């Protein structure tokens, strides 16, 4: 009997980190949302939130799924890559386009982990179960199968104090918290989970853009060093059209020689 992964259940942003009664909190990781399915006959599917098949880019996840998970299992989670005690989103990005020998080499250099936070299929469809029951079944799966790296069980708590403590993990790559109602079923495509994202603000100079001044796609940011030189510190994420238009109104070409003339910028 064949089955398909459901559409991912989605989140809606909230302004504060308070954990409501009747809800559970999980850390929100700086990675790629992914669903993993193991079918009878040795077929494995690792799928992105938008439905892209990522299986070939992460051969170590496929191999671990075949060796550690039973057939007819579907898990929702997050793909992450660790580098020097932090989550390295840029390494994850670099791995997405690799296939074959290049993907195998990348798996050795920047191995990925799959942080499991929900169970959607185990011998049958379990999306109709409440979160508390799905969570218990996910924990049981980890215990029964002795799951180990690259699989990791995402922490979950109903303790507000512990949830707030997780917000101190931002330096390691935790972006905030995700809240899930204990009695809610898994509703694919519905924005019913809640997320609180930690935001740290700072100031920087827009030294350059990708795209054009009239329609910037990303911003290349800098700060002045003690000698008064504008040093590159990083780039923004891709701007929405509305954000690009708003920024474009504030941009102008340099009046004299640009301090970054001749420089080459990498994606990192």
């Amino acid at each position: 009997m064949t089955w398909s992964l459901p559409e991912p259940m989605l989140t809606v942003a909230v302004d504060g980190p308070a954990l409501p009664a009747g809800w559970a909190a999980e850390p929100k990781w700086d990675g790629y949302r992914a669903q993993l399915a193991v079918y009878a006959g040795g077929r494995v599917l690792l799928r992105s939130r938008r439905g892209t098949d990522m299986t070939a880019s992460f051969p170590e996840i496929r191999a671990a799924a075949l060796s550690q998970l039973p057939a007819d299992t579907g898990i929702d989670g997050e793909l992450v890559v660790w580098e020097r005690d932090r989550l390295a989103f840029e390494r994850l990005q670099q791995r997405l386009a690799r296939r074959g020998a290049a993907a195998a080499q990348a798996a050795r250099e920047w191995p990925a982990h799959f942080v499991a936070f929900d169970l959607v299929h185990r011998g049958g469809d379990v999306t109709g179960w409440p979160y508390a029951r799905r969570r218990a079944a996910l924990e049981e799966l980890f215990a029964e199968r002795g799951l180990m790296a690259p699989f990791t069980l995402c922490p979950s708590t109903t303790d507000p104090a512990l949830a707030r403590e997780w917000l101190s993990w931002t330096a390691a790559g935790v972006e905030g918290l995700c809240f899930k109602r204990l009695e809610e079923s898994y509703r694919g495509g519905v924005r019913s989970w809640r997320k609180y994202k930690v935001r740290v603000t700072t100031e920087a100079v827009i030294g350059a853009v990708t795209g054009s001044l009239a329609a910037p796609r990303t911003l290349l940011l800098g700060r002045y060093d003690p000698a008064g030189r504008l040093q590159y510190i990083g780039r923004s994420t891709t701007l929405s059209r509305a954000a690009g238009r708003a920024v474009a109104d504030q941009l102008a070409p340099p009046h004299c020689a640009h301090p970054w003339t001749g420089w080459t910028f990498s994606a990192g």
Side-chain angles (χ1 to χ4, degrees):
M1 180 178 179
T2 59
W3 55 275
S4 300
L5 288 166
E7 289 298 310
M9 194 164 174
L10 304 175
T11 60
V12 61
V14 295
D15 295 330
L19 175 58
W23 293 65
E26 299 172 356
K28 185 181 183 302
W29 308 95
D30 187 13
Y32 270 134
R33 177 76 177 276
Q35 292 178 314
L36 178 66
V38 181
Y39 297 98
R43 180 188 167 215
V44 175
L45 173 64
L46 183 65
R47 189 178 76 176
S48 75
R49 182 173 72 86
R50 300 187 183 278
T52 302
D53 187 343
M54 304 185 293
T55 315
S57 296
F58 298 93
E60 75 275 34
I61 302 297
R62 179 183 182 278
L66 287 173
S67 65
Q68 297 190 46
L69 292 174
D72 290 332
T73 299
I75 303 175
D76 198 355
E78 194 90 3
L79 274 177
V80 300
V81 169
W82 284 94
E83 184 179 42
R84 294 192 296 272
D85 298 324
R86 71 174 183 91
L87 295 180
F89 185 76
E90 62 275 15
R91 299 302 189 196
L92 203 58
Q93 287 180 305
Q94 291 165 11
R95 291 201 53 185
L96 280 177
R98 302 194 181 193
R99 300 287 189 277
Q105 178 62 30
R108 291 188 288 269
E109 293 179 358
W110 309 312
H113 286 72
F114 185 87
V115 183
F117 56 62
D118 215 323
L119 187 67
V120 296
H121 200 97
R122 191 177 185 191
D125 183 8
V126 301
T127 57
W129 294 0
Y131 167 81
R133 184 180 176 188
R134 299 195 313 274
R135 174 69 194 192
L138 180 63
E139 293 176 359
E140 183 180 273
L141 175 65
F142 266 75
E144 284 183 357
R145 305 292 297 194
L147 299 186
M148 60 186 70
F151 296 115
T152 302
L153 180 62
C154 182
S156 176
T157 188
T158 56
D159 181 354
L162 180 55
R164 283 186 173 273
E165 182 180 324
W166 290 340
L167 295 176
S168 65
W169 297 0
T170 53
V174 172
E175 295 185 317
L177 299 172
C178 184
F179 303 120
K180 302 178 180 180
R181 192 158 56 86
L182 295 173
E183 296 304 316
E184 187 170 33
S185 61
Y186 188 102
R187 299 191 290 158
V190 176
R191 290 189 179 276
S192 189
W193 291 342
R194 301 176 184 177
K195 66 177 177 182
Y196 169 74
K197 195 168 183 179
V198 176
R199 297 191 181 276
V200 178
T201 61
T202 187
E203 292 186 351
V205 176
I206 300 176
V209 301
T210 63
S212 67
L213 291 182
R217 296 190 67 251
T218 63
L219 310 179
L220 278 61
L221 306 174
R223 288 204 185 105
Y224 288 102
D225 65 16
R229 296 168 299 196
L230 186 63
Q231 300 288 0
Y232 174 70
I233 59 168
R235 72 168 65 195
S236 72
T237 56
T238 302
L239 303 177
S240 66
R241 289 185 179 180
R245 287 193 297 269
V247 171
D249 291 340
Q250 309 299 320
L251 298 177
H255 298 297
C256 53
H258 197 293
W260 293 348
T261 297
W263 287 27
T264 300
F265 297 91
S266 71

